[in-house]
Amino acid sequence: MPSTPRPLRKLGFLTIGLFDAADPGRGHESTLEIIELGERLGFDTAWVRHRHLQYGISSPVAVLAAASQRTRRIGLGTAVTPLGWENPLRLAEDLATVDVLSGGRLNPGLSVGPPMHYDQVKGALYPDTADAEDFGYERVRRLLDLVRGKPATGFSGTEGFETFSDVVQPHSPGLGRRLWYGGGSLRSARWAGEHGMNFLTSSVVKAEDGEGADGPPDFAAIQLSHIRRFRAHHPDGEAARVSQGLVVIPTDSASAGQRAKYAEYAARRLPRTAAPQGPGRQLFAPDLVGTSAELAERLHAHAAFREVDEVAFALPFTFEHEDYVQILTDMATKLGPALGWQPAG
């Protein structure tokens, strides 16, 4: 098996945290238990997604605050927070608070763009300013500045019995270096690099203009171009942090029923990987299913994987709690070591 130029240094996982509308507490508890399991298994990071007006985690900051009190070491991240739903000043306060509560373990991942189904939700989200909201990179820059300690106001000092700060409180100095941008295009990769962020690249990329003109576009090659563009514009150059988030499902200890379910899940999603999808030309990576030895071989052959030393493998959205336990256990005890990783702690 070929060696990787960048041995795997950090192993993480991503979960969506689905729940039953009739019993949302159980689903949230399952997510917290999975994060606790991840820490026991030695994972370096656990990440959660936002799912607004769906039956998934709508408030990752609150969930990660709870997780911070049930763990002591594992990094806790969002992959990603769509800033179109957020006020940067209020979010900066929440992120800093959870970072302090966790002892400096928070890894906020961010993205831009209008909220999904904006025409249907804007009346509830921004009833007075819907047409004036800026959903571009400026919204991220505002959050970066606030988290990194740039004044939010021209006023500070004492007024009566109250003392006011001109910067977001609490201020967590290390948090500004742990902000990630979730990007899938050359433009976003460059912007994240120029602004000194870390870079999250997932199982979805944009097929740039011209990609696929001479045949099916190559997902790994496109993702690799994004990683290289990011590092070319980052102050840290080749040392700039990139995390890859493919869907990876090891089957070493899976039952026959689980293996069949995993194979059927991947097969249903495979057709969307054949060509770019929609006006945004989104290109999806195939889900990787197999034994850890098979997965390690496929990952070592992946051009983009060979240039990262951090991953946050995505858990399938619709599986059961016991499936996640099996997948994470195999990931930590079989796949990670096959990729050269050693468990933390």
Side-chain angles (χ1 to χ4, degrees):
M1 181 182 298
S3 62
T4 59
R6 294 176 180 265
L8 188 61
R9 183 173 58 90
K10 288 185 179 292
L11 176 62
F13 64 91
L14 166 65
T15 181
I16 192 174
L18 290 180
F19 58 83
D20 186 334
D23 186 16
R26 178 59 209 147
H28 285 77
E29 176 62 23
S30 173
T31 296
L32 293 172
E33 291 173 1
I34 288 296
I35 294 173
E36 289 180 287
L37 173 64
E39 174 157 285
R40 292 196 301 273
L41 289 170
F43 279 88
D44 298 287
T45 55
W47 304 74
V48 293
R49 277 192 175 164
H50 281 67
R51 278 297 182 265
H52 293 295
L53 299 177
Q54 298 182 51
Y55 303 105
I57 296 172
S58 62
S59 184
V61 174
V63 170
L64 295 182
S68 76
Q69 304 306 292
R70 293 168 60 156
T71 57
R72 62 174 181 82
R73 176 198 52 77
I74 194 169
L76 304 169
T78 61
V80 289
T81 298
L83 285 185
W85 292 82
E86 307 289 344
N87 177 292
L89 175 56
R90 278 292 301 116
L91 181 59
E93 292 177 327
D94 287 346
L95 295 176
T97 299
V98 176
D99 196 47
V100 168
L101 290 172
S102 71
R105 290 186 282 139
L106 194 63
N107 289 268
L110 314 166
S111 68
V112 299
M116 187 179 295
H117 304 303
Y118 188 53
D119 286 343
Q120 287 73 43
V121 76
K122 64 183 180 181
L125 188 58
Y126 298 115
D128 302 315
T129 61
D131 295 331
E133 293 292 334
D134 178 5
F135 297 124
Y137 294 123
E138 174 63 17
R139 209 175 187 94
V140 187
R141 190 197 59 77
R142 287 166 54 200
L143 180 68
L144 293 179
D145 287 346
L146 293 165
V147 167
R148 291 171 175 172
K150 184 174 181 178
T153 174
F155 172 75
S156 63
T158 301
E159 186 177 79
F161 295 102
E162 299 184 80
T163 302
F164 294 85
S165 169
D166 60 352
V167 301
V168 165
Q169 295 297 333
H171 177 62
S172 187
L175 182 58
R177 297 190 298 274
R178 281 179 272 110
L179 294 169
W180 297 74
Y181 189 85
S185 69
L186 288 170
R187 181 177 177 227
S188 61
R190 176 172 180 161
W191 192 94
E194 290 174 342
H195 289 79
M197 300 185 73
N198 306 306
F199 191 56
L200 289 168
T201 181
S202 70
S203 58
V204 187
V205 298
K206 176 184 178 182
E208 308 287 345
D209 292 341
E211 292 283 356
D214 300 322
D218 184 334
F219 178 94
I222 294 171
Q223 191 170 63
L224 176 62
S225 72
H226 296 169
I227 294 170
R228 290 181 172 173
R229 178 68 61 89
F230 165 73
R231 287 184 168 141
H233 291 275
H234 196 286
D236 295 340
E238 288 301 303
R241 294 178 67 185
V242 179
S243 180
Q244 185 189 48
L246 303 177
V247 177
V248 178
I249 309 173
T251 60
D252 302 84
S253 66
S255 67
Q258 286 174 319
R259 289 195 298 272
K261 177 166 66 173
Y262 303 165
E264 193 272 336
Y265 175 86
R268 281 192 288 111
R269 287 158 48 97
L270 186 61
R272 67 179 187 163
T273 69
Q277 306 291 303
R281 290 181 55 77
Q282 289 186 319
L283 185 66
F284 294 84
D287 301 334
L288 304 181
V289 182
T291 66
S292 290
E294 293 167 342
L295 293 175
E297 185 173 359
R298 294 179 69 181
L299 287 167
H300 282 146
H302 195 289
F305 177 83
R306 290 199 299 266
E307 295 208 10
V308 302
D309 60 7
E310 301 184 43
V311 296
F313 292 140
L315 297 176
F317 295 163
T318 57
F319 288 4
E320 301 298 325
H321 183 90
E322 56 268 24
D323 299 328
Y324 298 139
V325 171
Q326 175 265 311
I327 291 169
L328 289 180
T329 301
D330 283 354
M331 204 177 281
T333 61
K334 304 289 186 182
L335 178 58
L339 297 172
W341 171 82
Q342 295 295 320

